[in-house]
Amino acid sequence: MFRGACHPSVLVSSSSCVLLLLVVGGVGALEVSTGKVSTVEAINGSTVLLPCTYSSCIGIKNLYFNWHYDDNGTMLKLCEAVIPMEGVEPKVSVFHERVEFVGSSKSNNISILLWNITFEDQGAYLCFARNEKEKFRNHTAVFTLLVVDQIKELDKSLTVIIVSVLGAVIGFSIIFMVIKGLVVHFLLSGDEKTKECLVSSGIDNTENGVSGARADSKAPPKA
């Protein structure tokens, strides 16, 4: 697997590419990718998308690409084409009756569809690209297809346990909030009653002259 480098004639105008090369230690600008998930399980008889995109920090010119299937060491070509320049759609040659090109140069996409897959289609698929603008440097990405009778489902008993635990946690949370609300309500009610008691007691005592306030008392008249 080879990775390209930036063309010398565009080093001045492509400073970001030069910086990238310096940082990652010579990794080229051209890159093809099959996405974050490079292995997929698909049901026998279904149609599968084999994803692949390309990128280059200096652009492309006569970008050649192809798809191959690794048949136990024998590389079978599925399709190939050349993209003259950015935004120009390629004329794709397809060599497999169940392969369809679904990419577009406008989105740097060179993906294909594989129709009506069988167990014999299981294996590694290679997406290859070569950029003339980078002195024909190239890059390859691998996508692995696994063909099964049916997609494995999560154990139902485990699902029931998870749902039960979540339900219990939510239930306890609701009960806790209700109890907390009731306690706060009773505490606030008790405080209000205490305040009312103190206020009313103060008023009564004031009216009766026993609030601690000084009352003027007149001495009995002398005979």
Side-chain angles (χ1 to χ4, degrees):
M1 184 182 297
F2 298 93
R3 296 173 183 265
C6 293
H7 195 286
S9 64
V10 293
L11 288 179
V12 176
S13 60
S14 305
S15 57
S16 60
C17 182
V18 175
L19 179 61
L20 177 63
L21 295 177
L22 292 175
V23 172
V24 298
V27 176
L30 177 66
E31 182 178 359
V32 291
S33 171
T34 55
K36 295 181 179 180
V37 180
S38 59
T39 301
V40 168
E41 284 188 355
I43 299 177
N44 180 34
S46 63
T47 297
V48 180
L49 173 68
L50 306 182
C52 188
T53 57
Y54 64 86
S55 62
S56 173
C57 68
I58 65 171
I60 65 167
K61 177 183 178 183
N62 292 329
L63 178 77
Y64 169 81
F65 71 88
N66 64 42
W67 276 91
H68 279 84
Y69 170 61
D70 185 357
D71 186 11
N72 296 320
T74 302
M75 304 304 292
L76 303 178
K77 185 181 292 186
L78 303 178
C79 69
E80 66 178 355
V82 174
I83 303 176
M85 61 184 66
E86 295 180 12
V88 177
E89 298 298 344
K91 295 180 180 179
V92 183
S93 299
V94 178
F95 308 108
H96 193 289
E97 60 183 4
R98 290 185 288 112
V99 168
E100 178 185 356
F101 178 75
V102 293
S104 172
S105 62
K106 295 179 181 178
S107 55
N108 294 0
N109 191 331
I110 48 178
S111 304
I112 60 174
L113 281 179
L114 183 58
W115 293 86
N116 301 323
I117 62 172
T118 67
F119 291 106
E120 294 180 354
D121 295 324
Q122 179 169 284
Y125 291 80
L126 286 71
C127 178
F128 169 88
R130 183 178 63 231
N131 190 11
E132 180 179 320
K133 197 170 185 178
E134 298 178 62
K135 291 188 174 181
F136 299 100
R137 300 291 181 172
N138 56 72
H139 192 200
T140 301
V142 180
F143 185 85
T144 303
L145 175 64
L146 303 177
V147 182
V148 296
D149 285 324
Q150 59 182 3
I151 302 298
K152 296 180 181 179
E153 297 181 356
L154 184 65
D155 189 355
K156 293 183 179 179
S157 59
L158 178 61
T159 303
V160 171
I161 293 174
I162 295 174
V163 172
S164 300
V165 171
L166 289 176
V169 171
I170 294 173
F172 282 125
S173 299
I174 294 174
I175 293 173
F176 174 77
M177 294 301 293
V178 170
I179 294 175
K180 181 179 178 182
L182 290 174
V183 171
V184 172
H185 174 72
F186 285 129
L187 290 176
L188 292 177
S189 299
D191 290 342
E192 290 296 332
K193 288 181 180 179
T194 303
K195 290 178 182 178
E196 290 176 3
C197 226
L198 292 174
V199 171
S200 62
S201 297
I203 293 173
D204 291 341
N205 290 337
T206 302
E207 291 175 352
N208 294 329
V210 292
S211 63
R214 221 177 192 176
D216 293 334
S217 57
K218 295 182 180 180
K222 294 182 180 179

